[in-house]
Amino acid sequence: MPELPEVETIRRGLEKHLVGKRISSIEVIFAKLFSGDPAQVVDQEIIGVRRFGKGLVIDFANEQSIVAHVKMTGQFIYMDKSEKINLHPKLSIGADLPHKHTHVVFHLSAIGHKPLATLYYNDIRKFGWIKIVPTKEVAGLSFFKSLGKELPIKGLLGTMTLQESEAILGSSSLPVKALIMDQQKIAGVGNIYANDGLFLARIDPRRKANSLKKEEAGRLYKSLIEVLEKGLLHGGASDVNYIQVDGGKGEYQDHFLVYGRSGEECLVCKSTIERIVVGGRGTFLCPTCQK
DNA sequence: CACTTGACCTGTCCGC
DNA sequence: TGCGGACAGGTCAAGT
């Protein structure tokens, strides 16, 4: 379930493989998730790949951009014509590309050269989207327009301060877990890191956000940053369908604190991890550690 | 305005 | 073995 660490890992993979190249053609197989005119970016040099929250932006020299959101099951996979990559069979739905869940194919070339590589967009559940828009209009897209600040993850651009996070928590009576997953309040936190961050902060996800004491809010701020940094360090969590641009797996799923661990022992006190529903989402907690 | 619920999808898993 | 149903969760739209 791509959240900030997973999407940042995808961004790095795209940056590594795309910058300096150009797209010679785009095949749109499933039109519903694609909008905009491919002609606006064909034969234009790719100059950078940015990320805002869980959204990706590929910028072209002619001030056009491809904007994408992979939601839960979207995958960008880069395949060099000269090199066989080792796709994880389960996570990639078969080793061959394109396959029945491939919805967009970008043919790539180096500047002034023939096609040499392909970027596939796969998405089992088709919730993701790809748009082509002028770069100056990216910030005005509904998703980016209402996006909150990001936490200050080491090496990234997030600027949210402790004071700002305290103000956000204090402003709502929502369950604290639902609030920290609201992209308009804090960008980048999804279900995995919300669960693990709350466990690390020893806070019950059902607590009203504005009931947190200053000291608890401080622990949560620090803990969310810590789990996001750990997730990024491990290249994300390949729990279901997340896969890296070069076909490899992330490793954070081997380090989950509570997420997906219902029925297993708490890593701290050995109580049994419970699964409940908060804000309509599966939620994992240690009933002993989290108050 | 604050918050909740349902829709969008398909693969997987569980119980019968 | 097959089959129905619940479940997975990011975001948006509609409803309370």
mmCIF file of all heavy atoms in Angstrom, chain A residues 68-92:
data_model
loop_
_atom_site.group_PDB
_atom_site.id
_atom_site.type_symbol
_atom_site.label_atom_id
_atom_site.label_comp_id
_atom_site.label_asym_id
_atom_site.label_seq_id
_atom_site.Cartn_x
_atom_site.Cartn_y
_atom_site.Cartn_z
ATOM 1 N N ALA A 68 0.945 11.412 -11.636
ATOM 2 C CA ALA A 68 0.420 10.062 -11.414
ATOM 3 C C ALA A 68 0.194 9.789 -9.938
ATOM 4 O O ALA A 68 0.877 10.328 -9.064
ATOM 5 C CB ALA A 68 1.386 9.018 -11.980
ATOM 6 N N HIS A 69 -0.811 8.965 -9.681
ATOM 7 C CA HIS A 69 -1.040 8.464 -8.325
ATOM 8 C C HIS A 69 -1.270 6.960 -8.448
ATOM 9 O O HIS A 69 -2.139 6.531 -9.208
ATOM 10 C CB HIS A 69 -2.269 9.136 -7.711
ATOM 11 C CG HIS A 69 -2.327 8.998 -6.215
ATOM 12 N ND1 HIS A 69 -2.329 7.772 -5.593
ATOM 13 C CD2 HIS A 69 -2.349 9.912 -5.225
ATOM 14 C CE1 HIS A 69 -2.369 7.960 -4.280
ATOM 15 N NE2 HIS A 69 -2.381 9.246 -4.032
ATOM 16 N N VAL A 70 -0.519 6.166 -7.720
ATOM 17 C CA VAL A 70 -0.629 4.709 -7.859
ATOM 18 C C VAL A 70 -1.654 4.092 -6.906
ATOM 19 O O VAL A 70 -1.918 2.888 -6.990
ATOM 20 C CB VAL A 70 0.743 4.007 -7.661
ATOM 21 C CG1 VAL A 70 1.762 4.537 -8.653
ATOM 22 C CG2 VAL A 70 1.245 4.138 -6.230
ATOM 23 N N LYS A 71 -2.250 4.915 -6.035
ATOM 24 C CA LYS A 71 -3.234 4.410 -5.073
ATOM 25 C C LYS A 71 -2.704 3.123 -4.421
ATOM 26 O O LYS A 71 -1.608 3.135 -3.893
ATOM 27 C CB LYS A 71 -4.589 4.189 -5.742
ATOM 28 C CG LYS A 71 -5.221 5.486 -6.239
ATOM 29 C CD LYS A 71 -5.757 6.326 -5.122
ATOM 30 C CE LYS A 71 -6.451 7.586 -5.645
ATOM 31 N NZ LYS A 71 -7.804 7.325 -6.123
ATOM 32 N N MET A 72 -3.500 2.025 -4.455
ATOM 33 C CA MET A 72 -3.045 0.835 -3.719
ATOM 34 C C MET A 72 -2.223 -0.136 -4.535
ATOM 35 O O MET A 72 -1.313 -0.768 -4.023
ATOM 36 C CB MET A 72 -4.230 0.062 -3.156
ATOM 37 C CG MET A 72 -4.599 0.462 -1.783
ATOM 38 S SD MET A 72 -5.802 1.721 -1.841
ATOM 39 C CE MET A 72 -7.105 0.818 -2.586
ATOM 40 N N THR A 73 -2.600 -0.331 -5.786
ATOM 41 C CA THR A 73 -1.983 -1.440 -6.515
ATOM 42 C C THR A 73 -1.276 -1.014 -7.805
ATOM 43 O O THR A 73 -0.944 -1.851 -8.631
ATOM 44 C CB THR A 73 -3.040 -2.529 -6.853
ATOM 45 O OG1 THR A 73 -4.103 -1.919 -7.609
ATOM 46 C CG2 THR A 73 -3.603 -3.156 -5.595
ATOM 47 N N GLY A 74 -1.054 0.285 -7.975
ATOM 48 C CA GLY A 74 -0.355 0.737 -9.180
ATOM 49 C C GLY A 74 1.138 0.442 -9.110
ATOM 50 O O GLY A 74 1.730 0.471 -8.042
ATOM 51 N N GLN A 75 1.711 0.117 -10.249
ATOM 52 C CA GLN A 75 3.157 -0.175 -10.304
ATOM 53 C C GLN A 75 3.751 0.480 -11.547
ATOM 54 O O GLN A 75 3.204 0.360 -12.640
ATOM 55 C CB GLN A 75 3.405 -1.677 -10.446
ATOM 56 C CG GLN A 75 2.696 -2.556 -9.452
ATOM 57 C CD GLN A 75 2.855 -4.030 -9.772
ATOM 58 O OE1 GLN A 75 3.004 -4.436 -10.924
ATOM 59 N NE2 GLN A 75 2.831 -4.854 -8.730
ATOM 60 N N PHE A 76 4.883 1.151 -11.378
ATOM 61 C CA PHE A 76 5.675 1.574 -12.524
ATOM 62 C C PHE A 76 6.861 0.622 -12.615
ATOM 63 O O PHE A 76 7.600 0.459 -11.639
ATOM 64 C CB PHE A 76 6.204 3.000 -12.334
ATOM 65 C CG PHE A 76 5.203 4.061 -12.681
ATOM 66 C CD1 PHE A 76 4.562 4.783 -11.679
ATOM 67 C CD2 PHE A 76 4.897 4.350 -14.009
ATOM 68 C CE1 PHE A 76 3.642 5.772 -11.999
ATOM 69 C CE2 PHE A 76 3.977 5.340 -14.341
ATOM 70 C CZ PHE A 76 3.342 6.048 -13.328
ATOM 71 N N ILE A 77 7.024 -0.006 -13.763
ATOM 72 C CA ILE A 77 8.150 -0.919 -13.917
ATOM 73 C C ILE A 77 8.933 -0.559 -15.174
ATOM 74 O O ILE A 77 8.365 -0.466 -16.273
ATOM 75 C CB ILE A 77 7.676 -2.380 -13.974
ATOM 76 C CG1 ILE A 77 6.988 -2.713 -12.641
ATOM 77 C CG2 ILE A 77 8.864 -3.315 -14.224
ATOM 78 C CD1 ILE A 77 6.541 -4.124 -12.509
ATOM 79 N N TYR A 78 10.212 -0.330 -14.982
ATOM 80 C CA TYR A 78 11.101 0.052 -16.071
ATOM 81 C C TYR A 78 11.846 -1.177 -16.559
ATOM 82 O O TYR A 78 12.405 -1.932 -15.761
ATOM 83 C CB TYR A 78 12.113 1.074 -15.549
ATOM 84 C CG TYR A 78 13.189 1.464 -16.531
ATOM 85 C CD1 TYR A 78 12.994 2.537 -17.404
ATOM 86 C CD2 TYR A 78 14.403 0.786 -16.580
ATOM 87 C CE1 TYR A 78 13.983 2.905 -18.298
ATOM 88 C CE2 TYR A 78 15.392 1.151 -17.469
ATOM 89 C CZ TYR A 78 15.177 2.213 -18.334
ATOM 90 O OH TYR A 78 16.157 2.579 -19.211
ATOM 91 N N MET A 79 11.818 -1.374 -17.867
ATOM 92 C CA MET A 79 12.516 -2.526 -18.419
ATOM 93 C C MET A 79 13.380 -2.098 -19.583
ATOM 94 O O MET A 79 12.882 -1.609 -20.594
ATOM 95 C CB MET A 79 11.503 -3.581 -18.863
ATOM 96 C CG MET A 79 12.110 -4.949 -18.992
ATOM 97 S SD MET A 79 10.853 -6.193 -19.300
ATOM 98 C CE MET A 79 10.239 -6.498 -17.656
ATOM 99 N N ASP A 80 14.678 -2.273 -19.379
ATOM 100 C CA ASP A 80 15.646 -1.955 -20.424
ATOM 101 C C ASP A 80 15.605 -3.050 -21.473
ATOM 102 O O ASP A 80 15.509 -4.222 -21.140
ATOM 103 C CB ASP A 80 17.042 -1.880 -19.789
ATOM 104 C CG ASP A 80 18.021 -1.177 -20.693
ATOM 105 O OD1 ASP A 80 18.260 -1.680 -21.804
ATOM 106 O OD2 ASP A 80 18.540 -0.131 -20.271
ATOM 107 N N LYS A 81 15.656 -2.670 -22.740
ATOM 108 C CA LYS A 81 15.580 -3.671 -23.799
ATOM 109 C C LYS A 81 16.736 -4.680 -23.749
ATOM 110 O O LYS A 81 16.595 -5.832 -24.137
ATOM 111 C CB LYS A 81 15.610 -2.991 -25.179
ATOM 112 C CG LYS A 81 14.368 -2.179 -25.489
ATOM 113 C CD LYS A 81 13.401 -2.959 -26.367
ATOM 114 C CE LYS A 81 12.295 -2.069 -26.892
ATOM 115 N NZ LYS A 81 11.210 -1.877 -25.931
ATOM 116 N N SER A 82 17.880 -4.216 -23.235
ATOM 117 C CA SER A 82 19.068 -5.055 -23.294
ATOM 118 C C SER A 82 19.255 -5.882 -22.036
ATOM 119 O O SER A 82 20.167 -6.665 -21.915
ATOM 120 C CB SER A 82 20.308 -4.173 -23.476
ATOM 121 O OG SER A 82 20.434 -3.323 -22.367
ATOM 122 N N GLU A 83 18.349 -5.715 -21.100
ATOM 123 C CA GLU A 83 18.607 -6.281 -19.777
ATOM 124 C C GLU A 83 17.349 -6.947 -19.241
ATOM 125 O O GLU A 83 16.269 -6.376 -19.254
ATOM 126 C CB GLU A 83 19.023 -5.106 -18.868
ATOM 127 C CG GLU A 83 19.326 -5.438 -17.459
ATOM 128 C CD GLU A 83 19.607 -4.134 -16.692
ATOM 129 O OE1 GLU A 83 19.839 -3.089 -17.327
ATOM 130 O OE2 GLU A 83 19.576 -4.172 -15.477
ATOM 131 N N LYS A 84 17.498 -8.159 -18.794
ATOM 132 C CA LYS A 84 16.353 -8.892 -18.252
ATOM 133 C C LYS A 84 16.236 -8.542 -16.764
ATOM 134 O O LYS A 84 17.192 -8.715 -16.007
ATOM 135 C CB LYS A 84 16.618 -10.397 -18.402
ATOM 136 C CG LYS A 84 15.421 -11.263 -18.090
ATOM 137 C CD LYS A 84 14.711 -11.705 -19.358
ATOM 138 C CE LYS A 84 13.548 -12.623 -19.013
ATOM 139 N NZ LYS A 84 12.573 -12.691 -20.088
ATOM 140 N N ILE A 85 15.093 -8.042 -16.342
ATOM 141 C CA ILE A 85 14.985 -7.773 -14.913
ATOM 142 C C ILE A 85 14.261 -8.914 -14.229
ATOM 143 O O ILE A 85 13.534 -9.670 -14.844
ATOM 144 C CB ILE A 85 14.273 -6.436 -14.597
ATOM 145 C CG1 ILE A 85 12.793 -6.501 -14.975
ATOM 146 C CG2 ILE A 85 14.963 -5.287 -15.280
ATOM 147 C CD1 ILE A 85 12.010 -5.376 -14.377
ATOM 148 N N ASN A 86 14.509 -9.025 -12.951
ATOM 149 C CA ASN A 86 13.983 -10.142 -12.201
ATOM 150 C C ASN A 86 12.744 -9.724 -11.421
ATOM 151 O O ASN A 86 12.810 -9.328 -10.273
ATOM 152 C CB ASN A 86 15.087 -10.644 -11.252
ATOM 153 C CG ASN A 86 14.723 -11.979 -10.652
ATOM 154 O OD1 ASN A 86 13.861 -12.687 -11.185
ATOM 155 N ND2 ASN A 86 15.352 -12.313 -9.548
ATOM 156 N N LEU A 87 11.590 -9.803 -12.079
ATOM 157 C CA LEU A 87 10.353 -9.389 -11.437
ATOM 158 C C LEU A 87 9.931 -10.399 -10.386
ATOM 159 O O LEU A 87 9.970 -11.599 -10.631
ATOM 160 C CB LEU A 87 9.232 -9.292 -12.472
ATOM 161 C CG LEU A 87 9.216 -8.084 -13.379
ATOM 162 C CD1 LEU A 87 8.076 -8.224 -14.366
ATOM 163 C CD2 LEU A 87 9.053 -6.818 -12.564
ATOM 164 N N HIS A 88 9.523 -9.890 -9.254
ATOM 165 C CA HIS A 88 9.000 -10.781 -8.230
ATOM 166 C C HIS A 88 7.679 -11.350 -8.728
ATOM 167 O O HIS A 88 6.732 -10.608 -9.006
ATOM 168 C CB HIS A 88 8.795 -10.007 -6.931
ATOM 169 C CG HIS A 88 8.483 -10.912 -5.784
ATOM 170 N ND1 HIS A 88 7.225 -11.416 -5.579
ATOM 171 C CD2 HIS A 88 9.276 -11.413 -4.808
ATOM 172 C CE1 HIS A 88 7.243 -12.186 -4.500
ATOM 173 N NE2 HIS A 88 8.473 -12.196 -4.017
ATOM 174 N N PRO A 89 7.569 -12.686 -8.900
ATOM 175 C CA PRO A 89 6.411 -13.272 -9.574
ATOM 176 C C PRO A 89 5.081 -12.979 -8.894
ATOM 177 O O PRO A 89 4.096 -12.711 -9.554
ATOM 178 C CB PRO A 89 6.720 -14.767 -9.588
ATOM 179 C CG PRO A 89 7.789 -14.979 -8.589
ATOM 180 C CD PRO A 89 8.549 -13.695 -8.484
ATOM 181 N N LYS A 90 5.040 -13.016 -7.589
ATOM 182 C CA LYS A 90 3.754 -12.778 -6.931
ATOM 183 C C LYS A 90 3.354 -11.300 -6.989
ATOM 184 O O LYS A 90 2.242 -10.947 -7.344
ATOM 185 C CB LYS A 90 3.810 -13.235 -5.474
ATOM 186 C CG LYS A 90 2.458 -13.121 -4.812
ATOM 187 C CD LYS A 90 2.411 -13.739 -3.438
ATOM 188 C CE LYS A 90 1.025 -13.565 -2.832
ATOM 189 N NZ LYS A 90 1.029 -13.503 -1.394
ATOM 190 N N LEU A 91 4.299 -10.435 -6.657
ATOM 191 C CA LEU A 91 3.979 -9.014 -6.583
ATOM 192 C C LEU A 91 3.742 -8.400 -7.950
ATOM 193 O O LEU A 91 3.057 -7.400 -8.080
ATOM 194 C CB LEU A 91 5.103 -8.262 -5.870
ATOM 195 C CG LEU A 91 5.331 -8.678 -4.421
ATOM 196 C CD1 LEU A 91 6.582 -8.029 -3.885
ATOM 197 C CD2 LEU A 91 4.139 -8.292 -3.561
ATOM 198 N N SER A 92 4.314 -8.992 -8.989
ATOM 199 C CA SER A 92 4.184 -8.386 -10.313
ATOM 200 C C SER A 92 3.119 -9.073 -11.158
ATOM 201 O O SER A 92 2.892 -8.697 -12.288
ATOM 202 C CB SER A 92 5.527 -8.436 -11.040
ATOM 203 O OG SER A 92 5.874 -9.776 -11.302
#
